[in-house]
Amino acid sequence: MKKFILDLTVKSVEQLHERYVLIKLTDKHPLPEMLPGQFVEVQIEGSSTTFLRRPISINFVDREQNELWLLVATIGDGTRRLAQLKAGETLNCILPLGNGFSPIFKGEKVLLIGGGVGVAPLLYMGAKMKESGVEPTFLLGARSAKDLLMLDIFRRYGRVYVTTEDGSEGEKGFVTNHSLLQQECFDRISTCGPTPMMKAVARFARENGIDCEVSLENLMACGLGACLCCVEKTTEGNLCVCKDGPVFNIKKLLWQD
Ligand code: FES
């Protein structure tokens, strides 16, 4: 897919949680085509410690409003600077990068499992699925009710099930403990979140013969396959998560635990 370097205009920055902001960006031209699971490399201006771009997954693309949404966890200097952006400022972005989730076929029953900020790409994935006539089921996990993000928006596109570690909303425990997994059969699982969660989901999928794709969050720098800092060992040798992923079928990964 053709990549673009664009100065996008900040439309709004919404504080969703003490550690997460939702940044909505727009452009005077229609935004380029983007696939669920792809990501954007954003330039951080005004941070004395951040020289490299930051990879942020595509949370949603609103074609009617010509908006690109980025859900950002504010965990370092660079991302905290992003959270301070004001409407009208510009953000230089390279997009769309990486390979997204595989296309879904009509009649497939698909479960989208997310944890923490890893829920971000699943919103766009679910919206695109619904657009193509396949209703997704979301299973979203967090530590506590206050850490569950954008639930109302997820509910616009499919059924939403929730787990929290402290039991403050939904079922208590981890996503892989949810009763839904015992009650319903799925053809495919797509997942994104903390690595231990994705490994547990991959194990469940493997044991139950379910096709499964994971979106890896290895550290990235260039985002373009040049620096090799994001390499993942696979059945095809070392692959760059930024260029060959971030989405991989679990059959390709050397995850045995
Ligand atoms: Fe540089 Fe992947 S981030 S090669």
Side-chain angles (χ1 to χ4, degrees):
M1 269 173 93
K2 191 170 171 196
K3 298 172 190 9
F4 299 81
I5 302 179
L6 299 174
D7 277 322
L8 299 180
T9 304
V10 176
K11 211 163 164 184
S12 63
V13 180
E14 191 184 339
Q15 188 88 40
L16 298 185
H17 177 282
E18 57 192 352
R19 278 180 293 119
Y20 302 108
V21 291
L22 177 63
I23 302 176
K24 295 185 180 176
L25 302 165
T26 190
D27 195 29
K28 49 186 180 303
H29 304 293
L31 291 165
E33 194 193 337
M34 291 171 254
L35 300 174
Q38 290 188 303
F39 67 97
V40 176
E41 283 265 88
V42 302
Q43 188 152 40
I44 313 282
E45 304 277 0
S47 165
S48 56
T49 57
T50 311
F51 304 105
L52 298 167
R53 287 175 179 267
R54 282 285 176 272
I56 313 276
S57 62
I58 292 166
N59 175 219
F60 190 69
V61 181
D62 183 333
R63 287 285 161 201
E64 274 177 30
Q65 302 294 325
N66 198 38
E67 287 175 357
L68 164 63
W69 297 8
L70 303 178
L71 180 61
V72 179
T74 51
I75 47 175
D77 281 353
T79 46
R80 275 195 287 274
R81 170 65 196 116
L82 288 177
Q84 291 161 2
L85 284 166
K86 300 277 176 290
E89 289 188 286
T90 57
L91 184 63
N92 186 271
C93 298
I94 306 179
L95 75 168
L97 295 173
N99 291 309
F101 293 103
S102 301
I104 303 293
F105 302 104
K106 272 230 158 74
E108 273 191 298
K109 200 164 169 203
V110 181
L111 179 61
L112 306 180
I113 303 183
V117 74
V119 301
L122 303 183
L123 178 64
Y124 187 37
M125 174 76 176
K128 292 298 267 184
M129 284 174 58
K130 180 138 193 204
E131 197 179 286
S132 63
V134 182
E135 178 134 347
T137 304
F138 299 101
L139 175 52
L140 308 176
R143 283 208 183 115
S144 183
K146 71 174 174 43
D147 304 314
L148 290 160
L149 303 169
M150 309 177 90
L151 283 190
D152 289 349
I153 305 181
F154 277 101
R155 288 191 181 108
R156 288 179 200 162
Y157 299 104
R159 290 184 295 155
V160 177
Y161 297 87
V162 162
T163 59
T164 49
E165 288 173 35
D166 64 2
S168 50
E169 186 156 345
E171 291 189 14
K172 184 171 179 175
F174 299 112
V175 284
T176 41
N177 305 130
H178 199 285
S179 56
L180 175 72
L181 299 180
Q182 312 309 325
Q183 289 161 1
E184 291 191 32
C185 296
F186 293 91
D187 302 308
R188 194 190 299 199
I189 295 175
S190 303
T191 185
C192 184
T195 302
M197 184 207 85
M198 290 197 291
K199 285 190 169 177
V201 171
R203 194 181 318 121
F204 170 82
R206 234 182 358 251
E207 287 168 1
N208 290 277
I210 303 170
D211 196 36
C212 180
E213 287 185 328
V214 300
S215 179
L216 299 187
E217 296 192 321
N218 296 21
L219 275 182
M220 289 189 201
C222 73
L224 299 164
C227 71
L228 304 184
C229 81
C230 63
V231 155
E232 177 77 21
K233 289 192 171 114
T234 74
T235 55
E236 297 171 8
N238 288 343
L239 293 179
C240 288
V241 168
C242 66
K243 191 166 64 70
D244 305 304
V247 176
F248 292 90
N249 194 295
I250 58 168
K251 288 184 197 140
K252 230 187 212 187
L253 299 176
L254 304 181
W255 286 2
Q256 294 310 329
D257 49 343

